[in-house]
Amino acid sequence: MKNILREIRYFLDFVFASIKIALTGDRRYYVWLASLVMLVVLGTYAYIYQLMHGLIVTGMRDQVSWGLYISNFTFFVGVAASAVLIVAPLYLYNYREFEYIVTFGEFLAVAALIIALTNVLADVGRVERLWHMFPLIGTPNWPDSMLVWDVLVLNGYLFLNLLIPGYKLYKKYIGLEPSNWIKFFIFLSIPWAISIHTVTAFIYAGLSARPYWNTALMAPRFIASAFTSGPAIMILVLLVIRKYTFYRKYISEKAIETLAQITLIAMLVNLFLLLSELYTVFYSATIHQVSLKYLFFGLEHNGKVYAALKPIAWLSLFMQITSVALLLYPKTRRNFKTLAAACSLNAIGIWLEKGMGLVVPGFVPTPIGEIWEYMPSFMEWVIVAGTVAWGFLVYTLMLKVAKTIEAGLARHPKAGKE
Amino acid sequence: MKRRDFIKKVVMTSAIAPVASLRIPFVNVSIEELTQKHFKEMSEEEKKAVIERLEREYKERYGVDVNIKTTPAKEGVVWGYALNIKRCIGCRRCVYACVKENNQSRASPDDPTSNEIHWIRVLEVAQEKLEPGTEEQGIGTKFGDVVAGVVLEESEHYYDPEKVPEDGKMYIPIQCQQCEKPPCVKVCPTRATWKEPDGIIVVDYNWCIGCRYCMAACPYWARRFNWSWPYIPKEEINPNQHYLGNRIRYRGVVEKCTFCIQRTREGRYPACVEACPVGARKFGNLLDPNSEIRKIIREKRVFRLKEELGTEPKFFYFMD
Ligand code: SF4
Ligand code: SF4
């Protein structure tokens, strides 16, 4: 009993210390936080406006009934899944270079999941009824509906990625080694990471109504694109941390180099899968090529040209290929300036491909042949910016705590004494 | 006691009447509405209480006395539909009869955010598209989804000539095909849409969360979303309603054709069948071997849309 009470007291101390760490910093830190908070406030305002007027404030209509929110959701689930690329080498292969950056990965997963889930909240028409799909209190259509699976695996993954780093930090804070049971959850998180993006791909791949999505390549492509864009974002974060904070000494160049190679290889696989898809669809040239044709070349109907996504598709391809070139050549891969460029091109390229490039053409033309073009409305952009800012805000706060405790700069007064 | 019942009970007992009618800000939903059960899980008394509340709410919102029924399916009945595409003249009378009967949202003259909904879409196809083109045009068709030789992508959805039917044109009306194996039902995360014993796919407008997964899954583009609050002029509201059918929907939920469940369960024909001036639309019980619909299936050249998807529509197209 006494032990439990002490544990609770320690844990509360840990929570309060964390809050304190998260809220103290230099001027640059506050400016960064304040700008994120501003975006979140704007996004919330736009969201309330949308709640009151309905999704009519978006650019979506019956013809294209999913848009920017679901695009963004899909992309960030991928980012979340890619944390496994740091966890697995460290814990399965004991790759020590990743020891220090593993919390960056785990908390990036948390932040990405927060972004993904808030985009779902933004997308549903009746947010106050969401409980209808939860187990025990609602009527979840399990196991039939992939959306139910997705909610389950995403929340499970969120839980794992809060538990694992949280527990390790707590132990560090009170000056103890983590117990062995946490390993179970660490190993569990590895297949779980793959599962979240597989299930997300299955949401699309299972729909016979949409030939553009109805391909067995969907899940492999999802994983490949996640495993290149995720590490790319991670590298960008690490480069920023190295440049602007005193944690630079902990982030080894070797760790970054390894991540860069992972980014490169996954991107090559991703492009290969894209090639397979393009070949199969265009060479066989069945009637089902129409959506892919819309994406890359646009469609013509009654003398009118519909090609809103064409520039996005080619830009994305160009960005991906350029990033491969920059990553392939050792000189540009090891130079942090060109590496940063490669990673930015990579992440934005995948965001375009997997977001708008994946979701929207699935709806064009409609299953009964109407061609209708979607463009996100201003409101959608504001709300999406809010969700992303919200994710980064949480990420910043969590990293601040993690890195301070890991560096031994914050310890429980009694740490190591009892 | 189920967990949901328990929560509801706690909410209802701890909160005395005024609290139950408190409204959640922004979404403007009362606690009563929020804690309402899934239609299929309600007891008869609960259904009655809900209907009373709904009639009250519609009265407050639209100023009209409506009568909402919950008539169940008749035994030994599975509804089927047949449409003669050789006869259809593309006049869209069915479209507007459906809008009126089923309280679909209209475009409001003074509200640009109002959301016009049609459950039936009539496609116009040029007959020449069914035949090889000239040498300059290129022989054959370019792309698209083929239905009985018709490339849907080459159809015209917003045709608007002085007079229909136009020479050289044919018309294909499309609405919910009431699939025997409905993909929309399979994907719905909340079981808010399901197949009734008489084969009709319905939506509980108080249970749907508006995720629109079913819209992505429907191969016939038969589902519509309420992007905003429905707008229906007060005098045009049809007060004879069914809980699973034409009662007025909410912002943020999905709706679709129900073969006029409020009529067909009372022994009447769907509104579109009655509205068709050329008698192209036929309706009846698929389980009755002597019904007109069974006769058509037996004797005419019949096809269904996108058979290859295995959705098994109960909506048949035929030619004389
Ligand atoms: S036509 Fe579409 S909405 Fe109707 S039952 Fe089939 S899948 Fe569902
Ligand atoms: S929009 Fe409504 S009916 Fe359609 S899948 Fe989602 S919850 Fe089910």
Side-chain angles (χ1 to χ4, degrees):
Chain A
M1 192 60 203
K2 220 175 138 204
N3 276 346
I4 295 176
L5 279 179
R6 195 178 60 195
E7 202 71 31
I8 291 174
R9 211 183 56 232
Y10 278 8
F11 185 75
L12 287 179
D13 289 344
F14 168 71
V15 171
F16 289 129
S18 300
I19 294 174
K20 208 172 135 216
I21 298 166
L23 296 182
T24 41
D26 55 11
R27 221 174 126 226
R28 249 190 343 223
Y29 182 68
Y30 285 130
V31 171
W32 169 241
L33 288 190
S35 29
L36 290 176
V37 168
M38 231 173 64
L39 281 174
V40 173
V41 169
L42 276 179
T44 314
Y45 180 77
Y47 179 61
I48 290 174
Y49 185 82
Q50 178 186 290
L51 274 184
M52 291 166 61
H53 294 89
L55 287 158
I56 194 90
V57 304
T58 70
M60 295 182 277
R61 289 299 178 266
D62 288 333
Q63 289 85 344
V64 178
S65 46
W66 281 343
L68 192 60
Y69 300 144
I70 295 297
S71 304
N72 221 35
F73 157 79
T74 310
F75 175 78
F76 278 103
V77 173
V79 174
S82 67
V84 72
L85 293 170
I86 294 181
V87 173
L90 175 64
Y91 293 106
L92 290 183
Y93 300 99
N94 206 19
Y95 185 67
R96 288 283 137 207
E97 295 294 335
F98 280 175
E99 180 111 59
Y100 181 75
I101 64 169
V102 69
T103 32
F104 282 96
E106 289 160 335
F107 283 145
L108 182 63
V110 172
L113 283 173
I114 287 175
I115 298 172
L117 290 169
T118 32
N119 272 282
V120 173
L121 296 189
D123 189 70
V124 294
R126 279 280 158 191
V127 71
E128 79 282 3
R129 295 186 189 163
L130 267 186
W131 61 273
H132 293 174
M133 71 186 290
F134 297 154
L136 302 175
I137 53 170
T139 52
N141 187 10
W142 190 85
D144 271 9
S145 174
M146 281 301 129
L147 265 190
V148 176
W149 280 93
D150 216 32
V151 164
L152 292 179
V153 294
L154 287 177
N155 282 300
Y157 194 63
L158 182 60
F159 169 75
L160 285 176
N161 279 290
L162 282 172
L163 172 77
I164 297 166
Y167 174 73
K168 283 189 299 190
L169 285 176
Y170 168 64
K171 281 293 183 182
K172 174 98 192 174
Y173 177 72
I174 59 171
L176 292 174
E177 284 298 310
S179 319
N180 254 337
W181 58 260
I182 196 70
K183 287 234 170 79
F184 169 77
F185 291 100
I186 291 172
F187 289 126
L188 184 64
S189 79
I190 294 170
W192 205 292
I194 309 286
S195 84
I196 63 166
H197 217 30
T198 306
V199 173
T200 306
F202 284 177
I203 289 179
Y204 300 97
L207 302 183
S208 59
R210 312 278 173 181
Y212 179 65
W213 297 333
N214 192 210
T215 153
L217 263 194
M218 195 60 89
R221 274 186 76 191
F222 265 49
I223 302 283
S225 62
F227 282 8
T228 188
S229 57
I233 292 178
M234 206 106 67
I235 292 172
L236 288 172
V237 172
L238 293 176
L239 290 180
V240 170
I241 302 274
R242 265 177 74 103
K243 189 146 178 172
Y244 294 109
T245 76
F246 76 98
Y247 299 109
R248 66 179 62 91
K249 53 180 186 279
Y250 300 107
I251 302 171
S252 73
E253 291 191 4
K254 202 159 162 227
I256 291 186
E257 165 72 9
T258 310
L259 278 179
Q261 290 189 7
I262 295 175
T263 309
L264 170 64
I265 292 164
M267 182 50 105
L268 288 172
V269 175
N270 185 50
L271 286 171
F272 170 71
L273 293 177
L274 175 67
L275 182 78
S276 311
E277 183 75 37
L278 290 174
Y279 166 77
T280 313
V281 171
F282 284 135
Y283 190 86
S284 56
T286 71
I287 47 171
H288 293 323
Q289 66 179 319
V290 56
S291 291
L292 205 60
K293 211 159 158 183
Y294 169 67
L295 176 61
F296 280 101
F297 305 105
L299 295 175
E300 200 224 301
H301 184 76
N302 276 353
K304 204 171 164 237
V305 176
Y306 300 84
L309 288 185
K310 194 168 136 186
I312 294 176
W314 290 104
L315 180 66
S316 158
L317 201 59
F318 168 78
M319 288 175 145
Q320 295 182 35
I321 291 171
T322 315
S323 96
V324 166
L326 288 173
L327 290 170
L328 213 48
Y329 189 50
K331 256 219 182 106
T332 44
R333 185 174 66 233
R334 293 197 183 115
N335 175 316
F336 284 166
K337 282 219 176 72
T338 39
L339 177 64
C343 291
S344 313
L345 288 172
N346 178 313
I348 298 171
I350 296 287
W351 185 78
L352 292 173
E353 176 194 296
K354 218 178 179 177
M356 298 275 283
L358 171 96
V359 174
V360 179
F363 293 99
V364 185
T366 67
I368 58 169
E370 181 183 355
I371 304 169
W372 187 89
E373 293 203 287
Y374 161 78
M375 269 296 134
S377 71
F378 178 68
M379 278 291 169
E380 275 172 285
W381 284 114
V382 177
I383 292 176
V384 160
T387 64
V388 175
W390 165 233
F392 273 92
L393 183 63
V394 175
Y395 192 39
T396 309
L397 299 176
M398 288 191 304
L399 277 184
K400 179 87 182 356
V401 173
K403 293 303 142 187
T404 308
I405 293 179
E406 278 174 11
L409 296 176
R411 303 182 68 191
H412 196 274
K414 289 195 186 140
K417 287 188 191 128
E418 275 180 33
Chain B
M1 195 186 311
K2 276 214 174 152
R3 183 82 179 278
R4 191 171 45 252
D5 300 8
F6 179 72
I7 290 174
K8 186 163 173 174
K9 194 148 193 184
V10 169
V11 169
M12 284 320 204
T13 47
S14 65
I16 336 134
V19 180
S21 55
L22 267 186
R23 304 188 88 79
I24 303 173
F26 310 130
V27 286
N28 197 18
V29 162
S30 69
I31 302 287
E32 267 178 300
E33 185 180 340
L34 182 72
T35 53
Q36 183 182 320
K37 279 195 195 173
H38 188 290
F39 181 72
K40 288 212 275 187
E41 295 191 354
M42 282 186 230
S43 66
E44 286 308 314
E45 295 97 78
E46 283 170 327
K47 272 184 198 164
K48 247 181 89 194
V50 164
I51 298 293
E52 258 163 41
R53 193 195 87 233
L54 289 176
E55 289 177 346
R56 202 177 63 232
E57 282 175 1
Y58 285 130
K59 171 97 188 172
E60 276 162 23
R61 182 169 263 276
Y62 296 94
V64 174
D65 286 303
V66 301
N67 171 21
I68 304 173
K69 280 183 275 208
T70 54
T71 321
K74 259 201 217 71
E75 241 178 271
V77 175
V78 168
W79 298 119
Y81 207 111
L83 198 151
N84 188 337
I85 46 168
K86 277 270 148 72
R87 277 224 187 138
C88 173
I89 54 166
C91 65
R92 294 198 182 103
R93 284 204 182 85
C94 53
V95 175
Y96 293 102
C98 173
V99 166
K100 236 175 128 207
E101 165 67 28
N102 288 298
N103 292 319
Q104 281 148 36
S105 176
R106 327 286 211 266
S108 156
D110 4 86
D111 182 3
T113 66
S114 64
N115 174 209
E116 189 177 11
I117 292 180
H118 293 171
W119 287 351
I120 306 175
R121 174 63 64 93
V122 186
L123 273 50
E124 176 203 80
V125 186
Q127 222 114 44
E128 64 187 36
K129 294 272 163 73
L130 300 173
E131 290 149 19
T134 61
E135 204 162 336
E136 300 93 68
Q137 288 170 329
I139 306 281
T141 46
K142 288 182 291 294
F143 51 75
D145 223 325
V146 183
V147 166
V150 176
V151 178
L152 290 178
E153 275 72 16
E154 301 197 340
S155 64
E156 193 46 61
H157 289 241
Y158 302 99
Y159 66 92
D160 191 20
E162 290 277 298
K163 231 182 111 204
V164 285
E166 273 195 300
D167 276 348
K169 297 279 160 68
M170 60 177 280
Y171 303 89
I172 313 175
I174 300 181
Q175 62 209 68
C176 173
Q177 311 281 303
Q178 313 294 353
C179 307
E180 239 337 76
K181 301 205 172 119
C184 56
V185 169
K186 182 161 66 179
V187 302
C188 174
T190 61
R191 301 180 198 268
T193 186
W194 67 88
K195 190 171 78 189
E196 283 278 288
D198 52 3
I200 309 303
I201 316 300
V202 294
V203 181
D204 182 345
Y205 313 121
N206 279 73
W207 200 253
C208 168
I209 59 172
C211 67
R212 310 191 292 295
Y213 197 9
C214 54
M215 296 177 81
C218 171
Y220 308 98
W221 198 64
R223 294 184 157 248
R224 299 291 179 273
F225 187 67
N226 286 276
W227 300 96
S228 57
W229 271 104
Y231 164 76
I232 313 170
K234 188 180 159 189
E235 57 289 351
E236 287 179 32
I237 290 174
N238 175 3
N240 300 319
Q241 306 181 353
H242 193 285
Y243 182 94
L244 299 173
N246 62 342
R247 72 186 170 100
I248 306 172
R249 274 72 68 186
Y250 303 88
R251 165 183 69 64
V253 302
V254 155
E255 60 180 76
K256 62 182 274 300
C257 157
T258 65
F259 280 175
C260 285
I261 207 165
Q262 66 282 356
R263 290 168 146 250
T264 47
R265 285 196 177 168
E266 312 292 330
R268 298 169 67 198
Y269 278 117
C272 49
V273 171
E274 284 181 1
C276 181
V278 293
R281 291 171 167 267
K282 307 289 178 194
F283 182 80
N285 182 3
L286 288 172
L287 296 183
D288 172 6
N290 302 316
S291 63
E292 190 182 12
I293 181 111
R294 283 286 290 272
K295 198 165 163 243
I296 290 169
I297 295 171
R298 212 163 38 232
E299 291 169 7
K300 304 282 183 185
R301 285 204 290 150
V302 173
F303 69 91
R304 296 186 287 185
L305 296 185
K306 308 197 187 202
E307 288 262 27
E308 76 277 15
L309 300 184
T311 50
E312 299 184 8
K314 293 193 287 289
F315 197 104
F316 300 83
Y317 292 85
F318 71 101
M319 292 166 251
D320 288 318

